[in-house]
Amino acid sequence: MNEIIDRESTGRKASMVAIMGNILLTIFNFIVGTLSGSTALVAEAAHTLSDVITSILAFIGFKIGMKPADKEHQYGHGMAEPIVGLIIVIFLVLVAYEILSDVYIKLLMHEALKAPDWTAAVMALIGIIVNYTMTTYLIRSGRRINSPALIADGQHQKVDIFSCGAVLVGVAGAQLGFTMLDPIVALFIAMMVIRTAFIVARDNINTIMGKIPSEEILDEIRTVAMSVDDVKGVHDVKLNNMGPYVSVELHIELDGDLKLRESHKISHIVEKQIINSVNSVKMAIVHTCPFEENKKE
């Protein structure tokens, strides 16, 4: 129970930090970008607005994923997080489209270009510092509580560090006379948003398709199962990725002379040991096989 409370508290706190931080950055990026004449900074404001939306969606997915199993959802609600991740992809694509539309007007429609003033550069520098702080906090919190939604949100936030750096370069270049550099940087930001959308889509589709988190977790499960007395072998370990956690099914090999009651008792011990020892596993189903028969095969 304490683990669940700690996970929910950490997730809520990290989400609130991301949401409030991005709201402030969106407001200041838009105001400074408009007043200074920086197309790239206005584009970054649009991107940061998408961060607000994605952080809210990530929090909603996190909250739904925290709901326990019930009669209709016997494996819990963990798949809510990757589903929300795919919804986030749609918002990212829309933001990229808006940025590219603005760049099209600036570059191809030959709209007059003015060099942004240095206020935009100062705002971009502030953005780098704030985004780095939020990225570090989100990813660290997500890894601590094993939340794909928070980790993905942190990875998404990381894009803003580089895009703010690109804005800084764009403003400096425009001040030196390269006015075309500012909308070109906005184009670069759009490309980064599209790349992020692709990565988020790929990772969440893999989760929905049941891709295992890592090979290491299989070895960890085998090691834990083999540590239980009377278990002589482990095979056919299968994982079902549910987003923030996984369910596992495996076969253990026991002495063929053991009675059914004893075998059943050992299988339950293995289940509890795996759930208690492997953090991401919340459900385990253990089948028993006679060790002698398995050796003959």
Side-chain angles (χ1 to χ4, degrees):
M1 182 61 70
N2 288 336
E3 180 185 347
I4 295 175
I5 294 174
D6 179 64
R7 186 175 194 273
E8 186 169 5
S9 174
T10 301
R12 186 191 303 112
K13 189 183 298 181
S15 296
M16 290 302 105
V17 167
I19 292 169
M20 296 308 299
N22 282 315
I23 287 175
L24 291 175
L25 281 176
T26 298
I27 294 171
F28 284 110
N29 278 335
F30 181 77
I31 293 174
V32 175
T34 302
L35 294 178
S36 66
S38 172
T39 305
L41 198 57
V42 173
E44 178 59 19
H47 184 199
T48 309
L49 177 61
S50 80
D51 291 343
V52 177
I53 298 172
T54 55
S55 292
I56 292 173
L57 288 173
F59 179 65
I60 292 172
F62 174 79
K63 288 289 290 183
I64 295 174
M66 284 292 298
K67 293 174 64 177
D70 55 34
K71 186 177 180 180
E72 294 181 340
H73 307 87
Q74 297 182 352
Y75 281 86
H77 298 76
M79 293 301 287
E81 292 198 33
I83 291 173
V84 166
L86 292 181
I87 297 174
I88 289 173
V89 171
I90 297 174
F91 282 91
L92 289 173
V93 172
L94 290 175
V95 168
Y97 172 78
E98 289 299 324
I99 295 174
L100 289 173
S101 297
D102 192 50
V103 171
Y104 173 78
I105 294 173
K106 294 284 185 182
L107 293 180
L108 300 183
M109 300 302 290
H110 305 292
E111 183 176 301
L113 296 174
K114 297 186 299 182
D117 62 42
W118 287 104
T119 311
V122 174
M123 186 64 225
L125 184 60
I126 293 172
I128 291 172
I129 297 171
V130 174
N131 280 302
Y132 176 79
T133 303
M134 288 196 297
T135 295
T136 303
Y137 181 63
L138 277 170
I139 294 177
R140 188 177 297 166
S141 297
R143 286 175 178 167
R144 176 187 167 193
I145 63 176
N146 192 32
S147 171
L150 288 183
I151 294 173
D153 198 24
Q155 294 292 349
H156 177 219
Q157 196 74 43
K158 188 184 291 184
V159 175
D160 287 11
I161 299 173
F162 301 107
S163 58
C164 284
V167 171
L168 191 61
V169 172
V171 172
Q175 283 291 329
L176 295 174
F178 302 100
T179 55
M180 292 288 288
L181 194 57
D182 186 58
I184 289 174
V185 168
L187 178 63
F188 172 72
I189 293 172
M191 294 299 102
M192 293 184 70
V193 174
I194 292 173
R195 179 179 179 275
T196 301
F198 172 78
I199 293 172
V200 173
R202 181 197 63 194
D203 291 346
N204 285 282
I205 288 173
N206 280 336
T207 298
I208 291 173
M209 294 293 289
K211 182 179 178 180
I212 63 173
S214 67
E215 291 290 337
E216 288 76 13
I217 191 173
L218 295 175
D219 295 332
E220 189 177 358
I221 290 169
R222 292 189 187 98
T223 300
V224 171
M226 286 296 296
S227 69
V228 176
D229 292 340
D230 296 318
V231 175
K232 300 181 180 299
V234 178
H235 63 275
D236 288 346
V237 181
K238 296 179 181 178
L239 297 180
N240 185 20
N241 191 354
M242 303 299 293
Y245 58 86
V246 298
S247 62
V248 59
E249 183 176 351
L250 68 152
H251 293 247
I252 59 173
E253 300 158 18
L254 304 174
D255 193 323
D257 294 331
L258 285 175
K259 294 181 179 179
L260 178 60
R261 184 185 299 273
E262 294 172 324
S263 299
H264 186 69
K265 180 180 178 181
I266 294 170
S267 69
H268 278 287
I269 292 174
V270 172
E271 288 174 0
K272 291 179 181 178
Q273 194 79 353
I274 290 174
I275 292 172
N276 292 333
S277 301
V278 185
N279 290 331
S280 56
V281 176
K282 299 301 178 187
M283 183 179 296
I285 300 173
V286 177
H287 304 280
T288 59
C289 301
F291 179 61
E292 291 83 0
E293 289 185 11
N294 192 64
K295 285 185 69 175
K296 289 176 183 177
E297 292 175 1

